[in-house]
Amino acid sequence: MTDLNTLNSNPGVNPKDPHRPVYHFLPEANWLNDPNGLIHWQGMYHVFYQYNPNGPYHGTLHWGHAVSKDLLKWQHLPVALAPTPNSPDQDGCFSGCAVDNNGVATLIYTGVRGEDQLPCVATSTDDMLVTWQKYPGNPVIPNTPQDLDLVAYRDHSVWREDNTWYQLIGAGIQQVGGTALLYRSPDLLNWEYLHPILVGDRTSTHPLPTTGDMWECPALFPLDDSHVLIISVWSNHNLIYSAYFTGDFTGWRFTPVHQAVLDNGGSFYAPQTLLDDQGRRLMWGWLQEQRSDAAQRASGWSGVLTMPRRLSILPDGRLGQAPVPELQKLRGRHQQYKGLEIPAGYELVLPEVQGDCLEILLKLAPGAASQAGLWVRCSPDGTERTLIAYDREAGGLIIDREKSSLDREAVHDRRITPFQPADQEDLTLHIFLDRSVIEVFLNNELAMASRIYPTRPDSLGLCLAAVGSQARINSMDVWTIQAPE
Ligand code: FRU
């Protein structure tokens, strides 16, 4: 985890930057994008990630590396993969995954050479996975499938069934849409192409907004009694959003039953998961910055990961996301409110508690209110503030950033995650504030992360609000969060 002392001594990062998260994972400086090679190895959680050691911008992609025993405190380790001159990854080590090949940790990643983006393999034999040897026969798949006219081809998800390895590679078929191509191998080195497991339709806008021209970072895994396919939609050179499908994987083809955007907070992309030794399927996503390139360069860092989210299949077959209980260890000073009635049109300021690193557990009965929730990061005069609420008219959970920042270049919008509560249903909003990161969980099912960049040092307040009709706060717990030691 970021240690503020290290941070202050790192000349690359502006120590006065008020937006740098304290307990979400990020490198000591420079650029991060996708989480890569997530693996629970010999009792340690390993996070690798797309990393540019040369600055806080996307370029010369390496694999950064950090390790944690408890999912809270991260120890930064040396770069795991760097481009090798005159080799298949000379222009970048793009995203990929890690597997346990009979006790040998093995990475499958995309090597970039000029226009070529092809699968490469590296192995490690040290316990902490610090040193990696690239396979001399890279790339292990020298060509894309001959019968497909592809938009792009990269990123890997690998698993073993019986004695055979299977791999998905992200791709897009020209004029058709995104897809994930299935391969199999006896040894991770020799691969046979099978077929696409699912193909999107780039012209369709329902039930997902668009499934784009190409699917980046596909991942497939069994969960409870279902299968989950995660994709990140790339369209016309833009990173659009990440989605999941839950459904049936038989006959080596995937049939979706449910699908939805994974996190509609406007920043989340390219998630990856691991299975830990408690059998938990944990997911991390990349939270992109939403401030100007100039501001990112001035701060010396860009990009942060979500907290690990525990995935489950909900009773109706959709995918659930919940925070892990480990986070409770970060709780500091506690304040509790019970049985507060918020009259319609009223805003109740909570002067006892303030902050930009808080955990808030809000049990809310919206009743007939058209909107009920909590303003966070409020300046005393209300010129800066961000609303997290259930909004009946919008039809879901909202994060309203219209007034999050007086900085005109910051995003000013309202993010919505569709959600239909049952009649009289109470809602649980679990909110994590970490400076520029807001991560919200609704009923341990839905998640939404957004970035905010308030300009005022006093934009720290909390304020409950109801619109249209009164709402009841059954309880609200607020904890300050302490950086992991
Ligand atoms: C997703 C992505 C991947 C690629 C990597 C490059 O954000 O574009 O498709 O491997 O990032 O950094």
Side-chain angles (χ1 to χ4, degrees):
M1 186 52 53
T2 310
D3 170 321
L4 287 177
N5 295 322
T6 326
L7 184 65
N8 290 338
S9 65
N10 186 332
V13 166
N14 173 5
K16 296 209 178 100
D17 181 7
H19 302 302
R20 188 173 161 92
V22 169
Y23 60 93
H24 282 73
F25 175 78
L26 75 175
E28 287 171 300
N30 302 319
W31 170 268
L32 162 148
N33 59 298
D34 315 352
N36 290 156
L38 302 179
I39 192 164
H40 199 197
W41 185 262
Q42 299 186 2
M44 303 288 272
Y45 293 95
H46 288 259
V47 164
F48 301 87
Y49 53 90
Q50 288 286 282
Y51 175 59
N52 178 8
N54 300 317
Y57 55 90
H58 191 260
T60 57
L61 273 306
H62 293 53
W63 278 37
H65 184 197
V67 73
S68 172
K69 265 199 196 108
D70 59 6
L71 295 172
L72 302 174
K73 186 173 168 59
W74 292 90
Q75 181 191 349
H76 294 286
L77 293 174
V79 159
L81 293 178
T84 301
N86 304 315
S87 87
D89 66 17
Q90 65 176 35
D91 297 320
C93 300
F94 274 17
S95 286
C97 62
V99 292
D100 176 353
N101 183 13
N102 298 323
V104 180
T106 305
L107 304 180
I108 300 93
Y109 66 100
T110 299
V112 181
R113 171 155 52 184
E115 296 290 295
D116 287 343
Q117 301 192 344
L118 294 167
C120 294
V121 162
T123 52
S124 177
T125 47
D126 72 86
D127 291 349
M128 287 287 274
L129 309 183
V130 171
T131 52
W132 292 88
Q133 291 77 44
K134 292 179 186 172
Y135 175 59
N138 283 336
V140 290
I141 301 176
N143 298 301
T144 61
Q146 297 303 313
D147 60 333
L148 292 177
D149 185 8
L150 297 181
V151 177
Y153 175 84
R154 58 174 171 266
D155 308 335
H156 314 268
S157 165
V158 177
W159 71 97
R160 181 158 41 189
E161 274 179 51
D162 302 322
N163 274 329
T164 302
W165 291 99
Y166 291 87
Q167 169 169 206
L168 283 186
I169 299 183
I173 303 174
Q174 291 285 1
Q175 301 308 321
V176 177
T179 187
L181 306 177
L182 183 66
Y183 287 75
R184 79 177 156 212
S185 165
D187 55 8
L188 294 172
L189 302 175
N190 297 286
W191 292 94
E192 175 196 0
Y193 170 61
L194 298 176
H195 51 252
I197 60 158
L198 183 68
V199 182
D201 171 358
R202 63 193 284 277
T203 62
S204 153
T205 51
H206 188 77
L208 288 169
T210 165
T211 52
D213 300 321
M214 188 229 160
W215 293 351
E216 298 188 305
C217 305
L220 179 73
F221 48 89
L223 186 62
D224 305 334
D225 53 0
S226 189
H227 266 83
V228 182
L229 174 65
I230 285 177
I231 60 166
S232 291
V233 174
W234 182 93
S235 187
N236 198 16
H237 299 274
N238 290 313
L239 314 181
I240 310 289
Y241 68 97
S242 297
Y244 76 81
F245 302 91
T246 53
D248 185 47
F249 185 58
T250 38
W252 310 110
R253 299 203 187 249
F254 190 86
T255 311
V257 178
H258 297 276
Q259 54 249 288
V261 174
L262 261 171
D263 179 318
N264 208 22
S267 170
F268 181 96
Y269 198 72
Q272 203 181 86
T273 71
L274 60 72
L275 191 64
D276 76 1
D277 64 3
Q278 300 172 41
R280 299 184 297 181
R281 180 61 68 171
L282 303 180
M283 177 178 76
W284 284 256
W286 163 37
L287 297 179
Q288 305 170 63
E289 295 308 311
Q290 297 196 294
R291 56 175 168 170
S292 68
D293 288 350
Q296 292 173 50
R297 282 183 193 256
S299 71
W301 64 278
S302 176
V304 48
L305 297 186
T306 60
M307 296 308 290
R309 299 178 181 178
R310 181 173 186 176
L311 301 183
S312 65
I313 299 291
L314 300 172
D316 66 1
R318 290 176 301 119
L319 187 71
Q321 305 180 51
V324 293
E326 279 92 333
L327 293 177
Q328 295 170 14
K329 296 199 189 111
L330 300 180
R331 289 174 177 171
R333 204 160 45 79
H334 180 215
Q335 185 80 33
Q336 188 176 56
Y337 304 88
K338 279 202 151 153
L340 300 177
E341 301 289 346
I342 315 293
Y346 196 73
E347 295 192 349
L348 178 66
V349 177
L350 304 169
E352 302 82 5
V353 54
Q354 296 217 324
D356 58 4
C357 284
L358 298 175
E359 177 186 352
I360 303 159
L361 188 61
L362 183 64
K363 303 217 169 172
L364 170 75
S370 54
Q371 189 185 75
L374 182 71
W375 291 94
V376 300
R377 302 297 308 271
C378 306
S379 62
D381 64 359
T383 52
E384 283 190 332
R385 54 189 198 159
T386 301
L387 179 65
I388 302 166
Y390 168 65
D391 189 306
R392 195 177 303 279
E393 271 141 42
L397 171 68
I398 61 163
I399 297 183
D400 187 332
R401 299 189 287 185
E402 297 291 353
K403 293 173 86 178
S404 291
S405 175
L406 292 170
D407 177 355
R408 290 216 184 132
E409 290 201 23
V411 232
H412 298 273
D413 68 358
R414 196 163 72 137
R415 310 296 312 180
I416 304 169
T417 298
F419 172 75
Q420 193 66 55
D423 228 12
Q424 303 297 317
E425 183 183 352
D426 291 352
L427 307 178
T428 301
L429 288 180
H430 203 162
I431 301 167
F432 293 87
L433 304 184
D434 191 1
R435 296 182 162 184
S436 58
V437 175
I438 296 181
E439 218 170 332
V440 185
F441 296 86
L442 173 65
N443 289 353
N444 277 336
E445 290 181 18
L446 298 174
M448 179 148 71
S450 288
R451 306 298 303 276
I452 55 163
Y453 303 91
T455 60
R456 295 178 50 145
D458 59 355
S459 291
L460 298 170
L462 298 178
C463 171
L464 288 161
V467 176
S469 180
Q470 74 161 30
R472 186 181 157 81
I473 306 302
N474 294 330
S475 66
M476 173 160 147
D477 289 277
V478 185
W479 294 268
T480 57
I481 290 206
Q482 313 192 329
E485 319 231 294

